[in-house]
Amino acid sequence: MSERGQAGSSRIVSRIPGLTMLRTYEAAWLSKDVVAGLVLTALLVPQGMAYAQLAGLPAITGLYTSILSLLAYAVFGPSRVLVLGPDSSLGPMIAATILPLVVAGGDAQRAVALASALALLTGAIMAIAGLGRLGFVADLISKPTMIGYMNGLALTILVGQLPKLCGFSVDAGGIGGEVVGFVGGVLDGALVPAALGVGGAGLVLILVLHRAMPRAPAVLVVVVLSIAASVGFGLGERGVELIGVLPQGFPPLTLPQVSVSDLLALAGGAAGIAVVSLADTIATASAFAARAGRTVDGNREMVGVGVANIAAGFFQGFPVSTSGSRTAVAQQAGARTQVTGLVGALAITLILLVGPALLRNLPQPTLAAVVIAASISLADLPATVRLFRVRRTEFALSMTAFFGVVVLGVLAGIAVAVGLSVMNVFRRAWWPYQAVLGRVPDLPGYHDVRFHPEAELLPGCVVVRFDAPLFFANARTFRDRLEQCAATAPVPRWIVVAAEPITDVDTTAADMLLELDLALNARHVHLIFAEMKDPVRRKIDRYGLTRTIDPTHLFPTVDAAIDAFRRETGAEWGPSPEPP
C-alpha cells in the first residue's frame, strides 16, 4: 500500500474508536471482558424489558434496543467502559412523545414505528451536533435544575408504576390522574394480592441488596426468584400477568413508516431527549474517566451516542442513553474495553434465537419493581436538602424544575429545566455581583467592604468592581451603580473601576460608557479603569472611547490607579462611616 493510502487508512481508523481499540487490544483482557459481558447481560435483559414498557412499548423492543446500541457504541463510542441502553430517565419522555400520536386502541406496531423514528431523530441531532462540535450543550442544564428534574421524574415514574406493581392498569393523564386512578382501583378491588406480593417482595429485595451487598446482581437475583415463585405457586393462575414467550429471532432492518407530520411532532421530544441523554452521558463519562485518569471529549461522545440511537432506530428500537448503574456493574465485573458490550449484545441475541421462552414465567409486577427501584435511584434528596442549606436561590430553581415535571409533564419539565438554567445564567450576567473595595490592614489587595467593615477608604476616590462582561442587558445596571457612587457626599473626584472581571464590552455598553463619562465629567468626576484586559482594551480603542475617556486614566493595576490619585490629591487612607 502506498504511503498516501496508509495515511488515509490510519485517519479512518483513528476516527472510529472501535477500530483503534481492536488494534491495541491485549489478549489478557479477553477473559475479563467476557465475564463482565455475561454479568452485564443478566442486568440488561430485565432492565431493557422493563424500560421498554415504561416507554409504552412491547418488552421485546427493549432487547432489540440493547443489542443495537451496544454494538454501535462499541464501534463509534470513545469511552472504553460506558454501557448504553434503555434508560429509566428517558422512558417517560419517550412515552410522553409517542403516545399522543398513537391511534385509539393502542396500536403497538405504530408505537414501535414512532419510537424508532424518535430514535433516528434523536441520533441525528446528537451526531450532527457532535460533528459540529456542539458538545457544550450538555451545560444547558445546571446541576440544581437537573436535581429537581430527576426528583420530579422519579416521583412520576414511581406513581405510574404503582398500578402495575399491584396487578392492574390505570388509564389517566398526568400524575394527579394516576394517583386518583390508583387509589380508585385499590378501593374498587382491582388489586391482585399475588401481584403485589411478588412485586413488593422483589422491590424490597432489590433495595436491600443494593444497600447491603452493592456488588451483588440484585436485579438478576430478583428475576430468578420471581420466575421460581411464578412456577412454584402458579402465579399466572392467580391473576398475575406474565411476560410470556418472546418473539424468536433477530429484528430485521426496518425503516419506520411514519408521516412528515409525525416527524414534526416528534422533533421537540427528540431535542429534549438529546439534551438529557447528552447531559447524562457527559456526567457519567466524566466520572468514570476521572477514575482512570482520562479526559472526556464531549463531541465524540455525542457522535457515539448519536450513532447508537440511529442503529437502534433502524431495528425497531427506541432512544438510549448511558447508564451509570450498568456501567458500574460492568466495571466492577472487570470490564476493560467495549468488548464487554459486544459480549452482552451477542448473549442477548442468543437468548432471542435459542431461548425466547426463557423468561416466559417472569411476572410483570417484577418488571414494575425493577423500574420503581431505578426511579428511587434517580432521586437525590440529600442534594436537595444541601441546596436548601447552602443556597436558597438554587434550591428554588431545583424545586421549580421539580414542579415543572410533576405539574406540567415530562417533556414540559425538561423545557422548564433548560429554560431555568439559561435564565439563571442570564440573571447572573444581568444583575452581577458588585462591590465597593477598600484596603484592609495586614491583608494584601483590595476587598469588599460589606464583608470587611473595618476596611479603609480613600477620601475622594471610590473603587468599584463589576463581576461580569458589559453588554446590552446589564449596561443600565452598571451605569446606575456608578451614578449612585457619584451622587454620594462628598462627591468623589475619581471612580476607579477594577475591570479585571469585565471580559467583554459590546456596542450597547460602549455607547453607555461614552454617555456616562460625559455625564461624570460635567460633574467633575473622572471615570478610571484599572486591570482592563488587553482584548477589552482593544475594543475600547476600536469603539473610539479613548476620545472621551482619557487614555491616561487606564491603569494596569488598581495599585497604580490609587498611587496616581494619591500623588495628585495627597489623600490618605481612613475609615468611612458609610461606603456608597
Side-chain angles (χ1 to χ4, degrees), residues 458-462 484-494 525 576-578 580:
L458 198 61
C461 180
V462 178
Q484 179 185 359
C485 292
T488 58
V491 176
R493 297 178 59 180
W494 281 22
V525 178
S576 176
E578 189 68 35

Side-chain angles (χ1 to χ4, degrees), residues 202-564:
L203 175 60
V204 171
L205 186 55
I206 290 174
L207 297 178
V208 169
L209 288 177
H210 277 166
R211 178 174 291 274
M213 303 173 63
R215 295 197 174 190
V219 172
L220 176 60
V221 171
V222 168
V223 166
V224 172
L225 292 178
S226 297
I227 292 175
S230 176
V231 174
F233 296 102
L235 296 183
E237 300 173 359
R238 296 174 180 267
V240 178
E241 186 178 356
L242 306 179
I243 290 295
V245 179
L246 298 174
Q248 187 173 21
F250 195 80
L253 175 64
T254 305
L255 182 64
Q257 299 299 311
V258 295
S259 65
V260 174
S261 61
D262 288 333
L263 292 176
L264 294 176
L266 295 172
I273 291 171
V275 172
V276 172
S277 178
L278 178 62
D280 191 22
T281 297
I282 296 299
T284 304
S286 299
F288 283 92
R291 299 178 186 179
R294 301 189 182 98
T295 57
V296 173
D297 187 333
N299 297 307
R300 296 183 74 184
E301 286 293 353
M302 289 183 81
V303 173
V305 179
V307 172
N309 275 281
I310 292 172
F314 278 123
F315 289 88
Q316 302 178 35
F318 51 85
V320 299
S321 181
T322 302
S323 169
S325 62
R326 292 191 290 266
T327 300
V329 168
Q331 189 176 63
Q332 289 171 358
R336 302 299 299 271
T337 69
Q338 284 296 331
V339 169
T340 296
L342 295 177
V343 172
L346 177 61
I348 298 173
T349 302
L350 290 176
I351 290 174
L352 292 176
L353 294 176
V354 179
L358 185 64
L359 300 173
R360 66 182 183 275
N361 291 310
L362 177 62
Q364 290 280 6
T366 299
L367 294 183
V370 172
V371 173
I372 291 175
S375 74
I376 293 173
S377 70
L378 291 177
D380 195 344
L381 297 183
T384 305
V385 173
R386 177 177 175 272
L387 288 176
F388 179 79
R389 290 175 176 171
V390 302
R391 187 149 184 165
R392 297 293 174 85
T393 56
E394 294 196 346
F395 171 78
L397 288 174
S398 181
M399 294 308 297
T400 303
F402 170 80
F403 286 111
V405 176
V406 172
V407 176
L408 302 178
V410 176
L411 289 181
I414 188 61
V416 168
V418 174
L420 286 174
S421 295
V422 173
M423 288 176 61
N424 192 31
V425 172
F426 191 69
R427 178 189 64 82
R428 292 180 181 182
W430 192 355
W431 296 304
Y433 188 79
Q434 306 165 49
V436 172
L437 306 181
R439 190 183 72 168
V440 179
D442 301 323
L443 188 63
Y446 300 90
H447 304 277
D448 189 341
V449 298
R450 275 178 287 190
F451 297 103
H452 296 276
E454 76 280 12
E456 298 175 337
L457 300 180
L458 198 61
C461 180
V462 178
V463 182
V464 298
R465 192 182 70 224
F466 192 81
D467 292 348
L470 281 177
F471 68 115
F472 66 92
N474 62 22
R476 182 182 295 274
T477 303
F478 180 85
R479 176 171 184 157
D480 290 347
R481 180 56 171 149
L482 265 63
E483 287 183 338
Q484 179 185 359
C485 292
T488 58
V491 176
R493 297 178 59 180
W494 281 22
I495 297 178
V496 179
V497 179
E500 194 273 337
I502 300 177
T503 56
D504 191 22
V505 176
D506 71 0
T507 55
T508 301
D511 293 341
M512 175 274 297
L513 289 176
L514 177 63
E515 296 171 1
L516 176 63
D517 188 54
L518 292 174
L520 293 177
N521 287 340
R523 298 159 68 175
H524 306 291
V525 178
H526 295 294
L527 180 59
I528 312 295
F529 287 93
E531 300 179 353
M532 182 177 287
K533 297 179 182 295
D534 289 339
V536 178
R537 171 62 190 270
R538 286 194 291 269
K539 289 182 180 180
I540 292 294
D541 292 336
R542 189 163 63 248
Y543 295 150
L545 290 180
T546 49
R547 291 176 300 178
T548 302
I549 299 176
D550 190 343
T552 63
H553 288 168
L554 302 177
F555 292 92
T557 65
V558 175
D559 278 331
I562 294 297
D563 290 343

Side-chain angles (χ1 to χ4, degrees), residues 112-129:
V112 171
L114 290 169
S116 297
L118 183 63
L120 293 175
L121 285 174
T122 302
I125 291 172
M126 297 188 73
I128 293 172

